Amino acid sequence: DQVLHVVPETYQQVQHLQLLCSTLLLDLWKPPMPEDITAGEDLHIRVPAPLVQEVKHSLDQHMISYRVLIPDVQELVDQSMPRERSSHSRVQEGYVYTQYHRMEEIYEWMAQIQKDYSEVVTQQFLGTTFEHRPVYYLQISQPSNKPKKIIWMDCGIHAREWISPAFCQWFVKEILQNYKSDTKIRKFLENLDLYVLPVLNIDGYIYSWETDRMWRKNRSPYQNGTCYGTDLNRNFNSSWGSIGVSFNCSSDVFCGSGPESEPETRAVAEFIKRKKSDIVCYLTIHSYGQLILSPYGSTTKPPSNNEELMQVGQKAAAALKEKYGTSYKVGPPSLILYNNSGSSRDWTHMIGIPLSYTFELRDTGTHGFLLPADQIQPTCEETM
Amino acid sequence: RAMELTPGRVPVSRAAALAEGVVRLRRGGPARALRLRELRGARAEDIKDVGYKFYLELELEDVLDKDCAVQCSAEVLYHLGNKNSAPDVQFTLEGELKSTEEADHVFYTRMRSLEKELVAENIPDSHGHVPPELQPLHLLAWVASGHVIWQNSTENTQLYLAQIQHVKQVKRSDEDLQFDYVVLLHEMVSQEITPWEMTVLWHPGDSVRVTRHRRQHGH
């Protein structure tokens, strides 16, 4: 399709153009109606491809001068649309880790990853969301005859924190693409299994793509469907409902009707409870703030292994800073952020997992939740 | 009597973010926005019958010119019983800021010469992208929101600009540029995101002025 720019000079030319537009039902961009075509005034018409020849011929015949404003409308449309990821973009060649992805693409990605790295990866079912979607995690485990300890990492508890699932995907990719060649990663996998949950709050994530980019909670209804969503990170059984929460469903920190009231919380909690004696480290990824948060949020009383927690956290922050100079602060939220209760990190520590951390990724408020996609790579590289 | 920062009270990062916002407001424009690079020093003081005061040493950088950094000494006072009174923020800057005269002039003439008043939405978009021609309007909103944030800050809130929901240019007969914004502010402690209306005036060589602001209703 082409868009033509025409300036009729005489009344006869105007009449001809009006006739042409109405008989061929041409799409007038300017002015909107054929009746408004005036001599001496700009006219912009979009001509469907099959009619281009005919229309130009007709203009020539009537000595009406024109020029082509847009030679290919489709090309312009394609360029200006956010690139729709087509379903055939394959993981190895096609999956773009430096862009944010819809949930359906993430589901496809998980299946593809399992296929491509079947010797070490299995996709496991954890449970279902309120809206009945399956929650999967990826188990990365090098076959071995010795039992291995587990590091668990989940992303996307809060829907609007898009950099978080992006990081989980990046992390998986880095490990799998390099575990054979990188000695550090190889050693890692010889002794540890990695369990990665790319999106925990699937319903909320989808909602943030389709309806409200700033949505945080899950999508379970309360008050007869007049109010939606529990803050999953206030819903765990760690001093549930005591501080930093709201009992009002319309709040963004609504803690639910009781500890583990939400199916997503239960799916994670039940699994972790079963495996807790093997889990040495629990990581949960959020944004924003550039913080490495150790337990607890509900009290300033330090956890029993606080020294170890702080030491490990400080080492992580130092390594992170080495990459691009990004500063992360380390400490419990009760001191450096704000009090809260019912967080997954506090709960996992309380049931006995020694190293529990919340990572709040970039940035510190310049972009907040709307971290530009071009920061995905540096954020993930430094956090890795 | 100055004391060690009291744990569990106001985290120092909260006071630093507030100071940063006020400095950004006073020294910013469509071609300059300062942001906190590092908190170099802090101490807090509990002043009996008055409130809680922070003394801060901040290093700030220009987001458009990251090599350019300035040192800032700031004082933030959260008033006792802080219901109706915005915190007091004072600061001094040390260091040269790059001149924005040319960029300001380009933006100003561009806006004044538009036939139709500019209207735009969702800046940045969901993917964090800001089209280059809207960058000055984004910066202007970020600078101006410092005023709304400052006027509505308490010990228990930490506000950030999350997104520009809507912006409309309003032509004026005097020399100022006027933009009516609806911005989304994110409050860290409650995690709420609320829309606020603000009217922003600016002219090259002037600081950014917010002549009117209010929380939008129906949310």
Side-chain angles (χ1 to χ4, degrees):
Chain A
D1 296 2
Q2 293 195 345
V3 175
L4 305 181
H5 170 98
V6 186
V7 186
E9 281 152 37
T10 67
Y11 182 64
Q12 273 164 330
Q13 291 183 344
V14 167
Q15 279 194 308
H16 177 73
L17 286 163
Q18 285 173 334
L19 194 62
L20 199 66
C21 289
S22 14
T23 40
L24 295 181
L25 297 173
L26 297 179
D27 180 14
L28 271 175
W29 280 16
K30 179 170 130 152
M33 312 282 280
E35 302 85 271
D36 299 323
I37 300 176
T38 327
E41 297 282 314
D42 284 357
L43 172 64
H44 295 168
I45 333 167
R46 181 184 67 86
V47 184
L51 295 175
V52 167
Q53 283 273 55
E54 186 183 335
V55 167
K56 286 181 176 173
H57 183 69
S58 174
L59 294 175
D60 290 339
Q61 277 206 313
H62 285 80
M63 312 275 270
I64 301 174
S65 57
Y66 63 90
R67 66 183 169 84
V68 178
L69 197 61
I70 301 175
D72 186 342
V73 176
Q74 189 56 48
E75 192 184 354
L76 208 61
V77 169
D78 291 343
Q79 272 170 23
S80 62
M81 290 272 270
R83 297 273 315 285
E84 287 295 321
R85 300 250 58 78
S86 47
S87 56
H88 64 255
S89 74
R90 290 199 331 275
V91 175
Q92 284 291 72
E93 295 89 5
Y95 202 77
V96 185
Y97 290 90
T98 50
Q99 275 183 29
Y100 296 113
H101 290 276
R102 306 176 161 278
M103 195 61 216
E104 31 184 272
E105 293 161 12
I106 299 177
Y107 275 127
E108 271 169 30
W109 168 80
M110 277 194 275
Q112 190 66 46
I113 282 279
Q114 179 180 244
K115 250 173 61 184
D116 292 343
Y117 296 97
S118 51
E119 71 278 13
V120 286
V121 179
T122 38
Q123 183 178 317
Q124 307 280 15
F125 178 79
L126 200 65
T128 40
T129 67
F130 180 80
E131 291 175 347
H132 307 297
R133 296 189 175 89
V135 183
Y136 295 114
Y137 68 94
L138 293 171
Q139 181 180 331
I140 303 174
S141 178
Q142 185 109 337
S144 148
N145 43 24
K146 64 174 173 185
K148 280 180 265 137
K149 292 295 185 184
I150 299 167
I151 295 186
W152 168 279
M153 181 165 76
D154 59 61
C155 293
I157 281 193
H158 291 138
R160 58 196 180 199
E161 299 167 10
W162 285 14
I163 186 63
S164 165
F167 174 71
C168 266
Q169 292 165 70
W170 181 282
F171 180 85
V172 166
K173 169 220 15 141
E174 276 299 301
I175 297 285
L176 295 176
Q177 278 181 2
N178 297 300
Y179 81 95
K180 287 190 178 143
S181 54
D182 184 311
T183 36
K184 266 213 290 219
I185 300 181
R186 207 176 51 223
K187 277 220 86 177
F188 210 71
L189 287 185
E190 276 167 24
N191 298 299
L192 292 161
D193 285 347
L194 295 169
Y195 289 27
V196 181
L197 171 51
V199 186
L200 198 164
N201 179 9
I202 295 173
D203 296 345
Y205 186 69
I206 292 174
Y207 194 75
S208 75
W209 271 80
E210 296 181 348
T211 311
D212 181 355
R213 177 62 176 84
M214 298 296 176
W215 191 256
R216 167 181 166 91
K217 306 181 287 179
N218 77 347
R219 290 294 300 164
S220 59
Y222 282 86
Q223 288 171 22
N224 286 317
T226 57
C227 180
Y228 283 82
T230 296
D231 182 345
L232 296 175
N233 206 34
R234 300 288 186 276
N235 190 239
F236 284 79
N237 195 8
S238 43
S239 311
W240 179 87
S242 59
I243 191 170
V245 297
S246 170
F247 295 103
N248 189 332
C249 168
S250 52
S251 163
D252 259 328
V253 293
F254 173 55
C255 52
S257 52
E260 295 182 17
S261 60
E262 307 305 304
E264 297 89 354
T265 314
R266 280 199 303 276
V268 173
E270 269 153 28
F271 179 80
I272 292 186
K273 264 182 267 197
R274 275 205 314 272
K275 300 286 227 172
K276 69 175 180 185
S277 47
D278 291 325
I279 303 177
V280 293
C281 179
Y282 171 83
L283 300 172
T284 180
I285 312 296
H286 293 244
S287 79
Y288 53 94
Q290 291 176 202
L291 305 165
I292 298 174
L293 299 170
S294 52
Y296 295 111
S298 48
T299 167
T300 49
K301 174 158 166 272
S304 50
N305 64 335
N306 195 46
E307 215 177 280
E308 181 187 20
L309 280 164
M310 289 301 287
Q311 228 179 51
V312 173
Q314 301 283 12
K315 275 195 163 153
L320 203 156
K321 189 171 182 136
E322 244 174 60
K323 188 82 184 174
Y324 294 116
T326 311
S327 288
Y328 270 61
K329 281 207 283 281
V330 182
S334 50
L335 286 186
I336 65 175
L337 192 58
Y338 51 75
N339 288 317
N340 61 23
S341 56
S343 71
S344 63
R345 169 211 59 241
D346 284 0
W347 176 76
T348 53
H349 190 271
M350 285 176 180
I351 63 164
I353 293 168
L355 295 171
S356 275
Y357 295 98
T358 305
F359 271 70
E360 297 276 355
L361 300 179
R362 287 193 192 184
D363 58 17
T364 52
T366 309
H367 299 93
F369 301 120
L370 303 180
L371 193 70
D374 62 21
Q375 284 202 40
I376 295 178
Q377 178 155 346
T379 305
C380 294
E381 285 180 339
E382 71 194 2
T383 314
M384 211 67 211
Chain B
R1 186 180 57 87
M3 57 165 80
E4 281 307 305
L5 294 170
T6 314
R9 186 70 194 264
V10 181
V12 66
S13 59
R14 193 170 295 174
L18 181 56
E20 176 196 343
V22 174
V23 177
R24 180 163 51 237
L25 171 67
R26 298 261 186 265
R27 292 286 187 275
R32 180 198 294 143
L34 295 175
R35 133 178 97 195
L36 182 64
R37 186 193 267 179
E38 207 180 309
L39 179 63
R40 292 181 152 268
R43 71 187 165 87
E45 191 180 348
D46 207 334
I47 308 178
K48 193 160 132 72
D49 297 331
V50 176
Y52 200 61
K53 189 166 187 177
F54 286 89
Y55 299 84
L56 307 167
E57 300 296 322
L58 312 169
E59 185 173 282
L60 303 162
E61 67 185 13
D62 184 343
V63 299
L64 294 184
D65 181 20
K66 303 220 178 87
D67 292 332
C68 178
V70 287
Q71 306 303 320
C72 174
S73 302
E75 288 173 17
V76 178
L77 171 62
Y78 291 95
H79 296 284
L80 207 64
N82 55 28
K83 295 309 170 212
N84 290 311
S85 165
D88 283 347
V89 181
Q90 312 281 344
F91 69 91
T92 51
L93 283 191
E94 232 179 77
E96 282 277 310
L97 288 172
K98 190 177 78 161
S99 162
T100 56
E101 213 178 297
E102 200 185 312
D104 285 348
H105 177 75
V106 168
F107 173 67
Y108 183 76
T109 27
R110 205 182 108 218
M111 289 293 121
R112 293 285 283 196
S113 62
L114 286 179
E115 266 177 38
K116 248 179 36 156
E117 288 164 331
L118 181 141
V119 174
E121 292 188 328
N122 294 338
I123 306 164
D125 67 15
S126 289
H127 298 251
H129 179 248
V130 178
E133 68 273 14
L134 294 180
Q135 169 86 284
L137 281 150
H138 183 218
L139 244 45
L140 194 62
W142 193 29
V143 168
S145 60
H147 177 83
V148 180
I149 288 172
W150 168 43
Q151 291 300 305
N152 292 280
S153 282
T154 70
E155 274 183 32
N156 301 309
T157 61
Q158 196 161 339
L159 288 158
Y160 295 93
L161 172 65
Q163 189 183 39
I164 300 167
Q165 203 174 63
H166 187 88
V167 58
K168 187 169 99 74
Q169 179 186 12
V170 176
K171 281 191 187 274
R172 294 173 66 92
S173 50
D174 62 20
E175 296 195 328
D176 282 334
L177 290 182
Q178 176 179 337
F179 297 98
D180 288 352
Y181 285 94
V182 178
V183 291
L184 296 178
L185 296 185
H186 171 223
E187 204 288 287
M188 261 296 187
V189 179
S190 64
Q191 288 296 334
E192 301 297 335
I193 293 199
T194 38
W196 287 78
E197 295 171 4
M198 64 178 186
T199 297
V200 180
L201 297 185
W202 176 79
H203 179 266
D206 274 359
S207 56
V208 175
R209 283 157 285 146
V210 177
T211 53
R212 190 185 132 295
H213 74 271
R214 69 169 192 153
R215 192 169 162 144
Q216 215 178 46
H217 295 301
H219 186 81

